[in-house]
Amino acid sequence: MRGTQNFQGAMFSYISLEERVPARHPLRKLRALVDALLASMSAEFEAVYARRGRPSVPPEMLLKALLLQILFSIRSERLLVEAIDYNLLYRWFVGLNLEDKVWDHSTFSANRQRLFNEDLARVFFERVKYTADWAKLIGDEHFSVDGTLIEAWASQKSFKRKDASGSDDGAPPQGRNPEVDFKGETRRNDTHASTTDADARLFKKAAGDKSRLCHMGHILMDNRHGLVVDVEITHASGTAERQAALKMLQRQKRKAGRLTVGADKGYDCRAFVQGCRKLGITPHVAAKAKHSAIDGRTQRHEGYKVSLRVRKRIEEAFGWIKTVGGLAKTKLIGHAKLAGQALMCFAAYNLVRMGSLGGWWDAHHA
């Protein structure tokens, strides 16, 4: 028998959000873990908020909303707030009841410098890492390092001469989006800068590729399960990858034994190899065909071959943050904001990866 539509808006609801979310939904375990991590950051939140005044939107809700934006690839904060308003799953995750009003999207911009900065984002990232370390998902011996380009939120037309107030020819711009001819013009980072994002640099990573205004992101990955253990944002340059790698390796608190770090051929230079050895780290860098800084004894070692094979897993993290996390092109201006966004993206990546590693959460919370 065919059913008929008989929709009538109910005045009262007797079903809670908790009942609407399936018991086996993956966000249940994630929310429990995130709530515990944010509860441990209470002192950090207290330090950035005034003791008097009108109560703000709880920072825990804003950070959980930001995680939703990353996990579900929501392209803007305006759409994020709209989705939280009508999506029962999102309301439940951030901690809103059915009758609660959602905050305005401008709340994210107002709290960008205070709440979504690099310092607090790194605290959250470190909390996630400590949880993975406690669950024995992170080793302390073998790592991999690599860098990637993150396209800046700036057009090529904003890349102008530093000694000119307007356009390159001194003429005032015609209209909102004037025609600009770059043919035959030499544009370099030492003579030009973007008027939209001063931290962006004109750079290309491979020969034959087009130059773009971009930033450079670097990560250090643990080889045991492919979790990211450190993140760094720098200007895009030919030496930035190696300098950032040494900086991240120096931040690692080493235990007994010798560490190894795998990397591609871009790191095969004398400065990086010697820098690793000064830190007590064995560089397992893919050797160039000629003039390699990696000696033959290192290349003959079985661990060298394993590191070169496992290091390719680092591309999974870069692919995830660019396709799912929305970091192929940042919508934020400057390194300070981008660093906070990148740390939150890689923290979300670690949380997702931890959730797929053999049910460790059930084993520790049975």
Side-chain angles (χ1 to χ4, degrees):
M1 176 179 174
R2 177 183 175 183
T4 59
Q5 296 187 68
N6 186 22
F7 174 78
Q8 182 177 0
M11 184 176 295
F12 302 101
S13 175
Y14 301 97
I15 300 177
S16 66
L17 286 177
E18 193 70 27
E19 296 175 358
R20 300 299 298 169
V21 180
R24 298 180 63 86
H25 197 283
L27 279 187
R28 280 193 172 274
K29 295 179 182 179
L30 181 61
R31 193 185 79 157
L33 176 57
V34 171
D35 284 343
L37 295 175
L38 294 177
S40 68
M41 295 174 59
S42 179
E44 285 80 4
F45 293 145
E46 287 288 343
V48 297
Y49 281 88
R51 296 185 178 273
R52 297 181 180 180
R54 186 177 60 182
S56 67
V57 178
E60 295 85 353
M61 285 188 176
L62 294 176
L63 284 171
K64 285 192 288 186
L66 187 59
L67 283 177
L68 284 177
Q69 183 182 15
I70 296 170
L71 294 172
F72 290 93
S73 306
I74 302 175
R75 69 175 185 268
S76 71
E77 290 155 358
R78 188 185 294 269
L79 287 178
L80 171 64
V81 171
E82 181 182 337
I84 293 175
D85 192 25
Y86 63 72
N87 192 311
L88 297 184
L89 177 65
Y90 293 176
R91 276 183 169 268
W92 168 84
F93 186 82
V94 300
L96 289 174
N97 294 317
L98 276 173
E99 65 277 5
D100 291 338
K101 185 179 180 180
V102 186
W103 57 87
D104 190 77
H105 66 89
S106 60
T107 306
F108 291 99
S109 299
N111 287 273
R112 186 84 61 196
Q113 186 173 0
R114 173 174 58 183
L115 191 60
F116 305 131
N117 55 52
E118 181 179 1
D119 294 335
L120 278 179
R122 189 170 289 278
V123 171
F124 181 75
F125 176 84
E126 292 293 331
R127 293 288 200 280
V128 175
K129 188 176 72 172
Y130 292 155
T131 303
D133 194 20
W134 169 78
K136 299 181 180 179
L137 299 177
I138 293 180
D140 55 3
E141 295 180 351
H142 308 293
F143 300 91
S144 295
V145 68
D146 202 359
T148 189
L149 296 180
I150 301 174
E151 191 171 351
W153 193 256
S155 69
Q156 293 282 0
K157 295 179 182 179
S158 71
F159 197 61
K160 302 178 181 179
R161 295 190 63 87
K162 296 179 181 180
D163 55 358
S165 58
S167 58
D168 287 349
D169 57 2
Q174 301 295 325
R176 177 175 173 270
N177 190 18
E179 293 290 337
V180 180
D181 185 9
F182 302 124
K183 186 175 182 180
E185 178 187 350
T186 301
R187 301 194 299 165
R188 302 167 58 92
N189 288 316
D190 54 354
T191 58
H192 290 63
S194 172
T195 56
T196 303
D197 188 350
D199 288 333
R201 296 291 183 270
L202 195 64
F203 189 74
K204 61 179 180 180
K205 201 172 182 182
D209 192 11
K210 63 179 181 181
S211 297
R212 296 172 293 172
L213 285 171
C214 54
H215 308 275
M216 189 168 281
H218 316 267
I219 62 173
L220 187 67
M221 181 193 75
D222 173 66
N223 285 359
R224 177 177 292 182
H225 290 297
L227 295 175
V228 179
V229 297
D230 205 350
V231 181
E232 190 73 21
I233 299 294
T234 67
H235 295 296
S237 69
T239 60
E241 285 187 301
R242 298 185 289 272
Q243 293 171 353
L246 292 175
K247 185 177 180 180
M248 292 187 293
L249 289 170
Q250 194 170 12
R251 283 202 292 253
Q252 294 302 307
K253 295 183 179 180
R254 302 187 302 276
K255 299 180 181 180
R258 193 171 183 87
L259 304 184
T260 67
V261 57
D264 58 30
K265 292 183 179 180
Y267 295 82
D268 185 9
C269 71
R270 192 172 303 277
F272 178 74
V273 172
Q274 291 180 351
C276 288
R277 297 196 185 279
K278 287 181 181 178
L279 295 173
I281 300 173
T282 302
H284 285 173
V285 179
K288 297 177 181 178
K290 296 181 179 180
H291 310 296
S292 175
I294 302 297
D295 57 88
R297 184 171 64 90
T298 301
Q299 297 183 45
R300 289 192 297 268
H301 199 278
E302 186 63 28
Y304 175 80
K305 301 176 183 178
V306 175
S307 292
L308 293 188
R309 184 170 65 250
V310 175
R311 71 168 180 83
K312 299 177 182 179
R313 190 182 297 169
I314 202 169
E315 299 297 339
E316 297 177 13
F318 288 140
W320 191 92
I321 67 157
K322 289 188 176 185
T323 55
V324 178
L327 258 188
K329 182 172 184 176
T330 179
K331 296 179 177 65
L332 303 177
I333 303 299
H335 281 173
K337 296 178 181 179
L338 176 58
Q341 183 186 20
L343 285 163
M344 290 299 297
C345 277
F346 284 113
Y349 171 79
N350 282 346
L351 288 171
V352 172
R353 195 166 185 88
M354 288 162 60
S356 63
L357 291 177
W360 67 272
W361 177 260
D362 296 330
H364 288 83
H365 295 80

